[in-house]
Amino acid sequence: MDFSTIQELNSPALSSVIPKGRREGQTSLATVNFEAALLVVDNLVFAKRGKHLSEAEIIVLKGAWDDDDYEEVAENSPYSLNYLQRRIAPPLWDLLSEAIGGGERVGKKKLRRILLEQVTKKYPIQSVSIAKQRPSGNKLVQVTGSYLPDISSFYGRKKELTHLKELVIEQRCVSLVGVPGIGKSALAAKLLTELSIESQPKFDCFIWKSVSYAPLIQDLIADLIELTQPIEPEPSLPKSTQAMLTVLIKQLQSQRYFIVLDECEALFQTSNLEDRLEYKLFFRRLVEEQHKSCLFLTSRVWPNEFDVLIEADRPIQYLKLEGLDPDAAMQFLSTLGLCNEEKRCSQLIRTYRGNPLELKAVSNRIHHFFASSTEKFFQDPTTLVSSRFQEMLNKVFGQGLSKIQRQIMIYLADKIILNFQYISFSKLLIELNQTQEISISTSELITALEGLEKNSLIESSKDPTTKEISFTLQPVIKKYITTDPMGLVHTSDASPTLAIAS
């Protein structure tokens, strides 16, 4: 590849790190080799984490290629030494070790040799323009924070992506909720990736941060402040939480940020009331105060703390994510090696509600125990529960359900065993009062059902003629209730143990 080909790439990130004289044609073979290798590396990185190399990462790579000290790299860039050496370089070397290391640790001193030996030789440079995958125009869009989930095997979700792209422009906060394994993180990563490579990006910077470890509120705000300051965070931050939050909001007002907080349910699972109240105020201020940024949350549940914001008609919305559509689910099963018996695969999709995690778990078991044959599996069919889904249900039945909600779910499981697929609201109210020692009022039942629906623990359907609503359980949850693997379902205050069902 000659330098004229590199010039045609029209990549803002690449052109920004080539000295002006070289961009005008005064170049060397080494520069050409670096740019050619960089194209391949960028594509490999994109395939691995779902986002391209940022400008700061490319600057570090160029400096390492030229054997410059970090001080020299920082001096000739818009970034500080601390930011490049401590924030950018370490995770970059970790990523490259996985993507191009070939078993060898990639570091600043070894980069040039590894690029030449293992990349340019192993992956022949092709005349594919990276400009097709990077935004055109003069502004470089950056993605910072944690690594994105792998989206190399992403199927369907076209309607959801279209809807979410509209929502994130209109709202300051959008929450994506759904059961474990349904694909919330993957969809969020796909959304971020597509927004970041638009020809005219609607956001200036993209941030991905997992909060599954339930950080303290001040730690999270400090991290976000650092991530929203592309050069260098302020040397000292205010000590009070609200003053720190004010600094963050000013950052969100200065540019349009798209910030993903992944696995947000962890923030509201703490038993510490003060922490919950602080996070409630944190989100309330981010939603109510003026800015053009968007906070995108993935969560297993819609927090009760957000209800008041919805009721007050604030710029916040949530989307409940369902399973893959049948075509996408069938394509997914095909990649898992189950494509020879379409009827049986369709039955799996219905049973597991198109949940990718559950489909993958049952697929692995079919391969292992049934010689990869769905026909053999359905000779003695059973419903299998993945470990992650069971972990969620353990928490729900261990500490997350009221007595009435527990009774509702056990009652529904019992009726499904007796081939009653959907139970109407009126029948539910009458029979629960007949079979339980305590009376359940209409308002108590409505509140309990709303909570179960919000947590994706029951499914509802309306009769097209009478409009009466009825309820049921998906097979995986029914199986958990009837088998009660951890002894958490049928406690002393619940109804008698149900017969075990397959």
Side-chain angles (χ1 to χ4, degrees):
M1 176 185 288
D2 60 20
F3 190 69
S4 61
T5 305
I6 294 175
Q7 286 180 309
E8 290 172 1
L9 294 176
N10 190 30
S11 167
L14 297 186
S15 64
S16 66
V17 297
I18 304 174
K20 182 178 179 182
R22 293 178 180 175
R23 293 202 301 269
E24 293 172 349
Q26 301 171 10
T27 184
S28 67
L29 179 61
T31 303
V32 175
N33 285 340
F34 171 72
E35 302 304 329
L38 184 58
L39 290 178
V40 177
V41 172
D42 187 76
N43 285 330
L44 290 172
V45 167
F46 181 83
K48 188 164 189 66
R49 71 178 184 185
K51 63 178 181 180
H52 291 288
L53 291 166
S54 68
E55 182 182 44
E57 288 173 327
I58 295 173
I59 287 172
V60 170
L61 290 176
K62 187 64 171 65
W65 178 273
D66 293 336
D67 198 25
D68 292 336
D69 293 332
Y70 282 111
E71 289 82 358
E72 296 177 89
V73 177
E75 185 178 348
N76 296 309
S77 80
Y79 300 95
S80 72
L81 171 62
N82 182 65
Y83 182 74
L84 292 177
Q85 187 173 12
R86 298 185 180 181
R87 291 284 302 178
I88 296 298
L92 177 60
W93 303 139
D94 291 340
L95 175 63
L96 294 181
S97 297
E98 295 181 17
I100 66 171
E104 185 175 1
R105 173 70 182 176
V106 176
K108 185 172 176 294
K109 297 296 183 183
K110 296 182 179 180
L111 176 72
R112 181 170 182 143
R113 175 180 59 80
I114 292 176
L115 284 180
L116 288 172
E117 293 180 359
Q118 298 196 35
V119 178
T120 57
K121 292 181 180 179
K122 186 176 180 180
Y123 303 98
I125 306 299
Q126 300 178 5
S127 58
V128 178
S129 174
I130 202 171
K132 294 180 180 178
Q133 297 176 332
R134 282 190 178 278
S136 60
N138 295 324
K139 177 174 282 190
L140 173 65
V141 177
Q142 295 186 50
V143 181
T144 60
S146 312
Y147 290 148
L148 273 67
D150 180 18
I151 54 172
S152 57
S153 300
F154 186 89
Y155 302 98
R157 305 297 194 193
K158 291 183 179 179
K159 291 182 179 179
E160 292 94 332
L161 279 169
T162 299
H163 183 46
L164 288 172
K165 286 178 182 178
E166 296 172 354
L167 283 181
V168 298
I169 299 302
E170 300 168 356
Q171 310 294 334
R172 294 193 194 111
C173 182
V174 177
S175 182
L176 189 64
V177 301
V179 296
I182 205 68
K184 302 180 295 295
S185 298
L187 179 55
K190 182 69 171 178
L191 173 66
L192 183 149
T193 300
E194 291 199 358
L195 289 172
S196 69
I197 62 176
E198 289 180 339
S199 58
Q200 295 181 331
K202 299 176 179 65
F203 295 93
D204 302 307
C205 187
F206 297 82
I207 294 172
W208 180 281
K209 184 170 182 58
S210 170
V211 291
S212 59
Y213 60 99
L216 295 175
I217 182 71
Q218 287 196 328
D219 292 340
L220 176 60
I221 296 174
D223 286 346
L224 291 176
I225 289 173
E226 185 173 1
L227 289 170
T228 54
Q229 292 184 338
I231 305 300
E232 177 79 6
E234 294 293 328
S236 62
L237 290 172
K239 292 184 178 180
S240 76
T241 302
Q242 293 309 309
M244 290 176 64
L245 186 52
T246 298
V247 173
L248 175 60
I249 292 173
K250 287 181 179 179
Q251 286 299 116
L252 301 185
Q253 293 168 341
S254 66
Q255 293 192 85
R256 297 201 71 175
Y257 290 91
F258 183 76
I259 303 174
V260 177
L261 297 183
D262 193 32
E263 299 187 71
C264 274
E265 66 271 10
L267 302 180
F268 293 98
Q269 288 177 343
T270 174
S271 58
N272 188 308
L273 179 59
E274 183 178 351
D275 289 344
R276 292 177 64 93
L277 291 175
E278 282 195 323
Y279 266 113
K280 180 178 180 180
L281 185 56
F282 167 78
F283 286 110
R284 182 162 189 161
R285 285 192 62 185
L286 289 179
V287 169
E288 293 184 340
E289 298 197 24
Q290 290 288 342
H291 58 80
K292 294 184 179 181
S293 298
C294 179
L295 195 65
F296 192 90
L297 316 176
T298 71
S299 180
R300 189 184 67 77
V301 297
W302 172 257
N304 293 329
E305 287 81 358
F306 287 3
D307 286 343
V308 66
L309 298 175
I310 288 285
E311 294 166 359
D313 198 26
R314 295 296 189 267
I316 179 173
Q317 288 291 331
Y318 80 96
L319 175 68
K320 184 177 179 181
L321 190 61
E322 306 292 349
L324 295 173
D325 65 74
D327 289 341
M330 190 67 72
Q331 186 181 5
F332 179 65
L333 282 177
S334 178
T335 65
L336 296 176
L338 298 181
C339 57
N340 56 333
E341 298 157 347
E342 185 173 339
K343 181 179 178 181
R344 294 304 191 186
C345 287
S346 295
Q347 191 170 344
L348 286 176
I349 293 168
R350 289 192 299 272
T351 298
Y352 296 97
R353 300 299 196 261
N355 184 311
L357 179 70
E358 297 304 296
L359 289 174
K360 186 174 183 179
V362 72
S363 173
N364 290 339
R365 287 165 166 172
I366 289 173
H367 285 307
H368 187 68
F369 293 104
F370 299 92
S372 302
S373 171
T374 52
E375 191 65 38
K376 291 181 179 179
F377 174 75
F378 278 104
Q379 288 175 2
D380 185 20
T382 186
T383 302
L384 302 172
V385 185
S386 72
S387 58
R388 186 174 176 188
F389 210 95
Q390 180 172 322
E391 181 184 1
M392 181 271 287
L393 292 173
N394 288 343
K395 290 180 180 178
V396 165
F397 279 93
Q399 57 189 21
L401 292 180
S402 68
K403 182 177 180 181
I404 294 177
Q405 289 173 329
R406 185 187 300 270
Q407 291 168 341
I408 290 170
M409 295 189 71
I410 294 175
Y411 170 83
L412 289 175
D414 196 9
K415 288 297 181 182
I416 292 171
I417 293 172
L418 299 175
N419 292 321
F420 292 91
Q421 294 305 309
Y422 279 88
I423 308 299
S424 68
F425 175 80
S426 56
K427 185 175 182 178
L428 193 59
L429 180 61
I430 292 171
E431 294 202 359
L432 280 176
N433 276 299
Q434 289 177 346
T435 58
Q436 306 299 327
E437 295 180 358
I438 61 171
S439 62
I440 301 173
S441 68
T442 301
S443 62
E444 288 174 329
L445 182 59
I446 289 174
T447 299
L449 289 169
E450 286 177 338
L452 292 173
E453 281 192 287
K454 185 185 295 185
N455 285 272
S456 303
L457 295 172
I458 60 174
E459 298 177 342
S460 62
S461 176
K462 279 195 174 183
D463 186 287
T465 304
T466 66
K467 305 301 181 183
E468 184 176 20
I469 191 168
S470 298
F471 302 92
T472 191
L473 301 173
Q474 62 171 285
V476 171
I477 295 179
K478 189 261 302 186
K479 178 63 176 287
Y480 177 89
I481 292 173
T482 55
T483 56
D484 194 6
M486 301 297 292
L488 298 171
V489 177
H490 303 98
T491 59
S492 58
D493 61 352
S495 61
T497 302
L498 304 175
I500 301 300
S502 62

